[in-house]
Amino acid sequence: MLTINDITVRLGGRTILDRASASIPTGGKIGLIGRNGAGKSTLMKAIIGEIEPDDGAIDMPRRARLGYIAQEAPAGTATPFETVLAADKEREQLLAEAETCTDPDRLGDVHDRLLAIDAYSAPSRAARILIGLGFDEAMQAQPLDSFSGGWKMRVALAALLFSAPDLLLLDEPSNHLDLEATLWLENFLKSYPGTLIVISHERDLLNNVVDNILHLQGGKITLYPGGYDSFERQRAERAAQLAAARAAQDAQRAKLQDYVARNSARASTAKQAQSRAKMLARMQPITALIEDPTMRFDFPSPDELRPPLITLDKAAVGYAPGAPVLQRLNLRIDPDDRIALLGRNGNGKTTLARLLAGQLEAMDGVMRLSGKTQIGYFTQYQVEELASAATPLELMTRAMEGKTPAAVRGQLGRFGFSGNTATAQVGTLSGGERARLALALVTRDAPHLLILDEPTNHLDVDAREALVQALNAYDGAVILISHDRHMVELTADRLVLVDGGTATEYAGSMEDYIDFILGRNQPREPQANGGKDAKPQRKAGAQWREDIRALKKQVSEAETRMGLLQKQLSAFDAALIDPASAPKDLAQLNMGELSRRRAAVADDLEDAEAAWLDASEALEVAQAGG
């Protein structure tokens, strides 16, 4: 068992972990979550001994082997296959000793140990792990220095998984992976025999792999049983309990303060007043769950344009003359399309995105673009290349040259940048804040088409959910490249498979595609998009998307109304319990009028809940029929 005992970690004068405690069961699979900057990586570094806690201790079995990916990617002339095999230090040492050992007894022990650790099947295990992470046989034999940084980090992950430590620690392992490799990793971790602690913002991974959620907030850690959805339910229940307890405590505090104020000066009651004053001093405030008011995405609505926005007719695209990466591209994009590009990394998804964004020209065939179409193109490079010394206000002012300060501030405010956050240096912002700033910059002209290439890498789970809601409320077209299948499933209604040097419409659902990747069934036949036979299908699809959008709006409006009515109901309940603490408009009402109005609000809430249920069921039926 791994035990974290009241550890405190301070970095740069700031307390990151504050007397944090938790017990991790042996063999447990733990999802470590928390807002960006909460201290998840700090806790992991404390567990592996890279950071020494200021107070407290971390205890674990003496001989437990820890595995953690170093910040630096492997490099050199060694191949990925050689690098992964070398990660098992014990096997490497035993094989070397077997070559030179002359003591028969020791040689027998060496061979027994080699059999015990399954050393002779190691090459096939290493190859399977590398294949799962996207390395074909040819790639496994290339030198590490021929790969990009992202692929080198895949080699580091493969080596760590191959070494099979007793305690495996992973920090955002899917950041450098495509969807296919992410699915393979998820299945590998499900059956991992050791203890696993993984920092991840992938909702599906946290639901399908882990059996406990370790939530880090305000320097404290809390262990919740179950996956992420279970954690969300428990956190919501805890928030409601805390709110009720806080309201009760506030009411009790108000009564005590009133008693002390009225009775301290009277000799007959001074002693009791003094006793209640001591009770007040001992009363610890109940802390509300922290919410981040700046975590916001709000895409400006574009002007209406007639379809199509973009048409590709037998187009080809690439980087070198005569060597197209993709060809025979037939694709039509309408103003209300929501398209996800599927396919392994290296198949050409980003190349197709750059063609549609106008960064590459068609080498062959035709690409037609509506003359008024504005396109916003987001990539991770934009996040990394933001000027560290500049402020969000300065960057947006330059990008919106000629616009009024109010317009500039308004665009920043759509993405949560106001007050001090708008004038802070970019270098001091978190990864999630920089991603929001990049999105604010690329959408400043209210684009008709938004192309997002892996937009979630710097976002925590709550921020990803906020982005999903913003995309669903956005009136323009969306093209999404993402390994976060939760986001793809909730935002895309068309799937385009980029494979075999071209891009074709994928006729199945996201679930069908996942089954295909995992070998659970056969893929449906892809259908080319853009031919005459596709026109009725596109028209039906457009009508279906319009129906879906209308139903989503009904669900959203019902949810908003339910929230407002629930707040009104809570206010009436509080006024009925303690009229003295009620707002002025309610304090003026007698108990009978309060009860009558509460009953009316309760009836309205019941109607709103019924409307929400009807709209939700209709939306579910419509989506299933799509």
Side-chain angles (χ1 to χ4, degrees):
M1 177 180 287
L2 169 67
T3 306
I4 302 169
N5 294 310
D6 285 337
I7 68 166
T8 297
V9 175
R10 301 180 185 90
L11 298 175
R14 175 176 165 235
T15 301
I16 307 298
L17 300 171
D18 184 12
R19 301 191 67 183
S21 297
S23 295
I24 308 300
T26 301
K29 293 181 172 59
I30 313 300
L32 176 54
I33 68 169
R35 289 285 173 83
N36 288 336
K40 302 183 295 295
S41 296
T42 300
L43 176 58
M44 229 178 221
K45 289 176 181 177
I47 292 173
I48 66 173
E50 190 174 315
I51 291 177
E52 186 72 23
D54 294 280
D55 293 300
I58 297 176
D59 301 321
M60 65 184 72
R62 285 185 180 180
R63 296 188 177 182
R65 294 179 301 116
L66 274 67
Y68 182 73
I69 293 181
Q71 294 293 327
E72 293 184 7
T77 58
T79 67
F81 182 73
E82 292 167 344
T83 303
V84 172
L85 276 180
D88 190 339
K89 302 297 184 185
E90 183 184 11
R91 173 184 176 275
E92 195 173 27
Q93 291 168 0
L94 289 171
L95 287 174
E97 187 176 356
E99 292 292 326
T100 59
C101 182
T102 57
D103 181 348
D105 292 333
R106 174 56 188 162
L107 188 59
D109 291 340
V110 167
H111 283 292
D112 286 343
R113 183 58 184 164
L114 285 168
L115 288 171
I117 64 173
D118 202 15
Y120 299 107
S121 68
S124 62
R125 285 189 286 114
R128 283 199 301 273
I129 291 174
L130 283 167
I131 289 170
L133 292 176
F135 293 86
D136 59 26
E137 190 173 347
M139 293 173 70
Q140 292 180 35
Q142 295 173 9
L144 286 172
D145 285 344
S146 66
F147 293 99
S148 67
W151 284 96
K152 288 178 181 178
M153 290 308 296
R154 289 197 190 200
V155 175
L157 175 60
L160 177 59
L161 298 178
F162 177 76
S163 67
D166 301 311
L167 174 57
L168 175 62
L169 299 114
L170 299 174
D171 191 346
E172 290 290 356
S174 60
N175 264 5
H176 301 284
L177 305 181
D178 51 26
L179 174 61
E180 290 76 4
T182 300
L183 289 168
W184 177 88
L185 176 64
E186 185 179 297
N187 277 278
F188 183 93
L189 295 178
K190 280 181 186 178
S191 57
Y192 189 76
T195 303
L196 168 69
I197 300 178
V198 55
I199 297 174
S200 179
H201 299 309
E202 301 284 344
R203 181 185 289 261
D204 292 287
L205 186 149
L206 292 170
N207 276 326
N208 297 333
V209 173
V210 309
D211 48 36
N212 285 274
I213 294 291
L214 189 62
H215 184 222
L216 175 55
Q217 178 176 278
K220 305 292 187 182
I221 49 178
T222 307
L223 193 66
Y224 292 84
Y228 186 81
D229 287 348
S230 174
F231 157 74
E232 282 282 29
R233 287 193 296 272
Q234 293 174 72
R235 185 169 65 159
E237 291 168 2
R238 185 170 173 234
Q241 292 167 357
L242 281 174
R246 202 176 182 194
Q249 188 187 68
D250 288 346
Q252 184 184 7
R253 184 185 296 277
K255 289 181 180 179
L256 289 172
Q257 288 172 335
D258 179 63
Y259 185 91
V260 171
R262 287 187 293 101
N263 294 283
S264 293
R266 296 169 57 187
S268 60
T269 57
K271 189 172 182 180
Q272 292 89 336
Q274 187 178 16
S275 174
R276 282 163 174 75
K278 290 180 180 178
M279 289 173 61
L280 270 171
R282 291 194 299 268
M283 191 179 290
Q284 295 295 320
I286 296 172
T287 305
L289 290 179
I290 299 171
E291 297 297 336
D292 185 357
T294 67
M295 188 183 63
R296 190 175 171 202
F297 302 88
D298 181 13
F299 300 112
S301 297
D303 298 331
E304 288 189 18
L305 289 180
R306 295 178 62 184
L309 295 178
I310 299 176
T311 304
L312 298 179
D313 186 5
K314 299 180 181 177
V317 62
Y319 302 92
V325 174
L326 299 172
Q327 50 192 335
R328 305 184 308 280
L329 296 172
N330 297 299
L331 186 66
R332 169 176 164 149
I333 300 170
D334 288 338
D336 60 350
D337 271 334
R338 302 300 170 96
I339 301 171
L341 302 184
L342 306 178
R344 285 192 175 275
N345 282 356
N347 282 4
K349 299 191 298 293
T350 296
T351 301
L352 177 56
R354 293 188 64 188
L355 171 67
L356 296 172
Q359 292 189 358
L360 294 173
E361 292 185 2
M363 301 169 62
D364 196 7
V366 178
M367 174 174 164
R368 300 185 187 90
L369 178 70
S370 176
K372 295 182 179 180
T373 301
Q374 293 280 347
I375 298 174
Y377 181 34
F378 172 91
T379 72
Q380 288 300 316
Y381 298 110
Q382 292 164 324
V383 178
E384 296 161 4
E385 293 171 359
L386 290 170
S388 296
T391 68
L393 183 59
E394 289 169 347
L395 292 175
M396 191 61 73
T397 300
R398 288 178 215 156
M400 297 179 66
E401 185 178 359
K403 297 297 178 67
T404 65
V408 172
R409 288 275 189 178
Q411 177 63 7
L412 285 171
R414 287 178 175 274
F415 292 82
F417 292 97
S418 59
N420 292 337
T421 57
T423 55
Q425 286 191 332
V426 169
T428 66
L429 302 179
S430 69
E433 288 171 325
R434 289 196 297 272
R436 275 194 286 117
L437 177 56
L439 282 166
L441 287 166
V442 302
T443 59
R444 64 187 182 273
D445 293 324
H448 303 91
L449 170 62
L450 191 54
I451 303 174
L452 304 177
D453 193 343
E454 294 294 355
T456 63
N457 279 359
H458 295 285
L459 303 180
D460 59 37
V461 186
D462 292 335
R464 292 181 185 206
E465 203 63 31
L467 178 57
V468 166
Q469 293 175 17
L471 287 173
N472 286 336
Y474 172 56
D475 290 332
V478 175
I479 293 179
L480 178 64
I481 301 172
S482 178
H483 63 265
D484 186 335
R485 58 191 181 278
H486 176 75
M487 173 167 283
V488 172
E489 287 171 338
L490 290 183
T491 58
D493 49 47
R494 283 178 63 190
L495 303 177
V496 171
L497 179 60
V498 182
D499 190 27
T502 190
T504 51
E505 200 89 15
Y506 185 75
S509 66
M510 192 64 188
E511 187 176 348
D512 294 329
Y513 183 69
I514 291 170
D515 286 343
F516 165 52
I517 294 301
L518 298 177
R520 292 198 289 241
N521 66 5
Q522 294 299 312
R524 297 187 185 184
E525 288 296 323
Q527 297 176 356
N529 183 29
K532 292 182 179 178
D533 293 340
K535 189 173 181 179
Q537 184 179 352
R538 278 201 309 272
K539 187 175 180 181
Q543 182 60 51
W544 177 77
R545 288 191 295 274
E546 184 61 34
D547 293 342
I548 290 294
R549 185 177 290 109
L551 288 169
K552 285 181 178 178
K553 185 178 180 181
Q554 290 178 28
V555 171
S556 178
E557 289 174 347
E559 287 175 345
T560 300
R561 179 160 173 73
M562 285 163 58
L564 292 173
L565 290 170
Q566 187 62 61
K567 285 183 180 178
Q568 291 179 24
L569 199 64
S570 298
F572 278 112
D573 288 339
L576 288 166
I577 294 171
D578 186 6
S581 64
K584 288 184 179 179
D585 59 330
L586 297 183
Q588 298 171 353
L589 303 176
N590 59 43
M591 298 298 282
E593 182 64 13
L594 279 172
S595 299
R596 188 187 68 77
R597 294 195 182 185
R598 185 200 180 282
V601 171
D603 289 342
D604 289 345
L605 179 59
E606 188 175 343
D607 291 342
E609 289 172 344
W612 173 83
L613 186 61
D614 290 343
S616 298
E617 289 177 349
L619 177 60
E620 186 176 344
V621 170
Q623 288 176 326

